[in-house]
Amino acid sequence: RLDAVIRAFRNVEAGDLLRRMEASGNDEFTDVARAFNGLMDRVADLTASALRSDLMVTWAQRELRLKEEVLAKSRQLADLNDQLVQRVRVASTLLEVADAVSAGLDLDETLPVVGASLTRAMGLVDFRVLLAAGDGGGLVLRHAQGLLSGPSAVGVDGPLAACAASGETLSVPDLKADAAVAALYAGGASGALVAVPFAAHAGVDGVLVLVRPTATAFGDADIDFLKLVGRYVGLASANGRLYQETLTLANQDQLTGLFNRRRFMALYQQAWDRASREREDLSVLMVDIDWFKKFNDVYGHLVGDDVLRRIAGAIAGQARPRDVVGRFGGEEFILVAPGTPRDLACLLGERIRTAVEEARFAAPDGANLPIRLTVSVGVASRQPGMAGPDDLVREADRCLYLAKSRGRNQVHPSVRGGTGATPPWSGGEAGDD
């Protein structure tokens, strides 16, 4: 029995904590066995508790590592989300700019949309577009919006002119550190400025100027984005130029520079509608060059074209700001005078007749004297009985025929719409011209 006690302790020493001794009887060996078994039960409980503690520590450490990994991933996801939001914002703004450029042909309608999109997306305090002056004399303001009082024009010197000349983007991280650029704004300016030159095809059309309220607010990504915007603005500038050229071709008589008949009649209709709405006077003057067909036969059509241009200029030179002048066809011109009664329209016609009569036109090679030409003018004013604008044109044309049949080089008013006083008729030979 003593050997059994010794074997039990050796087994414990070897790591067998589950071995127990037989405890039967009432002698000392039984008491030792019972004490041994109780001791081993305590040791087993302590060992199990220590194992549980170690396991809990391990689990806690593992959970902490997982939390740290999740936090790191969350930060990465947050950074990625911020980048994604920024990219979506950039793409959305660029899409708004592209839509504005593609939807509109008038630059003055496109630029406010572009400026509003950029101001909202980038937190700008100033946005302005400066276009190259047609005479090469620097840059002139085409559009501006924001809180600052910035440049409306810049000469051929200075940072913005240098930006346009070089075609390189100008970035000023801190306006307080660059007095030359800050001086472009009344009272100076603070924050960060970027100037982006833009062009349609070749050369520079203008410069975009953008200001944020804080220093170093424009990063490399912002500048790259603004360069893309500059390309769209350059396209809008080219589209606007082509649109204006197309309007000019569609609305202007190519020989004289006056409105062509189609455009004149559209403007005349607007004047008629306004006169009807506001119950104001409206007069029409028909002007025809006397003996122009015979003049063309003698001097040729090239000289005749020059005469048409000169007389068109003389007529336009006598027109008032509200008057609309057009070429009605051939050597015949038409003028609508809003807010003008018949008698005042006659005075206007007389000024036109006198201006042409006093003009002298260069004779072609071989002729010794300058050429003198005259015009006949028919004047009619809007009357209540007229059904539409064509009636007034017909009346003015009838008066023009009377002026030519009564001798030419005179103003013949309609009997209706005035005081009844008419200028004396000039003697002359009637004809078909």
Side-chain angles (χ1 to χ4, degrees):
R1 298 182 66 182
L2 182 59
D3 289 339
V5 174
I6 294 172
R7 285 195 300 272
F9 277 99
R10 286 178 176 173
N11 288 334
V12 171
E13 185 181 9
D16 186 1
L17 302 180
L18 301 179
R19 181 65 60 90
R20 300 291 183 269
M21 295 179 62
E22 181 179 355
S24 60
N26 294 316
D27 54 11
E28 290 84 352
F29 284 102
T30 301
D31 293 337
V32 170
R34 289 173 179 169
F36 176 81
N37 292 339
L39 176 62
M40 293 312 299
D41 288 341
R42 292 293 305 277
V43 170
D45 290 341
L46 290 174
T47 302
S49 177
L51 290 174
R52 285 195 297 271
S53 297
D54 290 343
L55 184 60
M56 290 178 66
V57 170
T58 301
W59 286 348
Q61 291 175 342
R62 182 177 299 175
E63 184 178 4
L64 181 60
R65 287 196 300 271
L66 289 174
K67 287 182 177 180
E68 290 176 348
E69 292 176 359
V70 169
L71 181 60
K73 294 294 184 183
S74 298
R75 289 172 178 169
Q76 293 178 3
L77 289 175
D79 292 340
L80 290 175
N81 185 65
D82 291 341
Q83 296 177 17
L84 181 61
V85 169
Q86 180 64 24
R87 291 183 180 182
V88 170
R89 184 181 295 114
V90 167
S92 176
T93 304
L94 197 61
L95 182 61
E96 289 181 10
V97 171
D99 286 343
V101 171
S102 61
L105 295 175
D106 190 338
L107 189 61
D108 291 326
E109 295 179 356
T110 300
L111 291 180
V113 179
V114 174
S117 298
L118 293 177
T119 299
R120 180 177 61 254
M122 304 187 74
L124 303 177
V125 293
D126 189 65
F127 170 80
R128 60 190 57 237
V129 180
L130 299 169
L131 295 184
D135 56 0
L139 305 169
V140 295
L141 181 66
R142 185 62 178 267
H143 174 74
Q145 60 189 81
L147 304 176
L148 303 181
S149 177
S152 59
V154 296
V156 294
D157 299 323
L160 294 183
C163 171
S166 66
E168 298 293 331
T169 298
L170 171 65
S171 177
V172 182
D174 188 357
L175 283 169
K176 291 184 177 180
D178 194 323
V181 178
L184 295 171
Y185 290 86
S190 61
L193 178 144
V194 169
V196 180
F198 61 86
H201 300 293
V204 175
D205 283 350
V207 176
L208 294 177
V209 182
L210 309 98
V211 179
R212 276 176 163 173
T214 56
T216 66
F218 291 101
D220 293 339
D222 294 322
I223 294 176
D224 290 340
F225 165 69
L226 291 175
K227 289 180 180 178
L228 289 176
V229 173
R231 295 180 185 177
Y232 279 104
V233 174
L235 179 60
S237 177
N239 289 343
R241 188 181 302 110
L242 291 174
Y243 175 66
Q244 291 301 323
E245 291 175 356
T246 301
L247 282 182
T248 299
L249 291 173
N251 297 328
Q252 192 177 69
D253 177 65
Q254 297 304 298
L255 177 63
T256 64
L258 301 177
F259 289 121
N260 58 26
R261 181 167 179 169
R262 183 192 63 81
R263 181 57 178 165
F264 173 85
M265 293 305 293
L267 296 175
Y268 172 43
Q269 180 68 58
Q270 296 175 13
W272 177 276
D273 294 339
R274 183 169 55 252
S276 301
R277 185 172 58 253
E278 299 178 4
R279 297 182 180 180
E280 68 172 6
D281 293 313
L282 184 70
S283 296
V284 167
L285 288 73
M286 297 289 291
V287 182
D288 189 87
I289 304 174
D290 297 328
W291 305 113
F292 187 71
K293 291 179 182 178
K294 294 180 180 180
F295 176 89
N296 264 344
D297 293 339
V298 173
Y299 295 107
H301 289 282
L302 292 179
V303 179
D305 288 346
D306 183 63
V307 166
L308 284 172
R309 283 189 290 266
R310 293 279 305 278
I311 291 181
I315 296 172
Q318 297 300 322
R320 289 85 51 85
R322 289 186 65 188
D323 298 339
V324 181
V325 185
R327 185 182 181 190
F328 205 64
E331 67 274 17
E332 195 171 26
F333 303 91
I334 186 169
L335 183 149
V336 59
T340 304
R342 192 204 68 176
D343 293 348
L344 291 180
C346 287
L347 293 176
L348 176 59
E350 182 61 23
R351 290 208 311 268
I352 291 173
R353 188 199 66 77
T354 302
V356 175
E357 184 180 34
E358 293 177 351
R360 295 296 181 266
F361 304 93
D365 294 341
N368 296 322
L369 299 175
I371 303 169
R372 174 179 175 272
L373 290 171
T374 61
V375 294
S376 299
V377 183
V379 179
S381 295
R382 182 176 181 269
Q383 297 301 310
M386 293 181 175
D390 289 345
D391 288 350
L392 182 54
V393 171
R394 278 191 289 267
E395 179 64 14
D397 193 52
R398 185 185 70 83
C399 293
L400 173 63
Y401 173 79
L402 292 174
K404 297 182 77 66
S405 66
R406 295 188 180 227
R408 298 178 175 81
N409 190 26
Q410 61 181 263
V411 177
H412 196 297
S414 173
V415 175
R416 298 176 293 177
T419 61
T422 58
W425 307 117
S426 300
E429 181 184 355
D432 60 355
D433 184 20

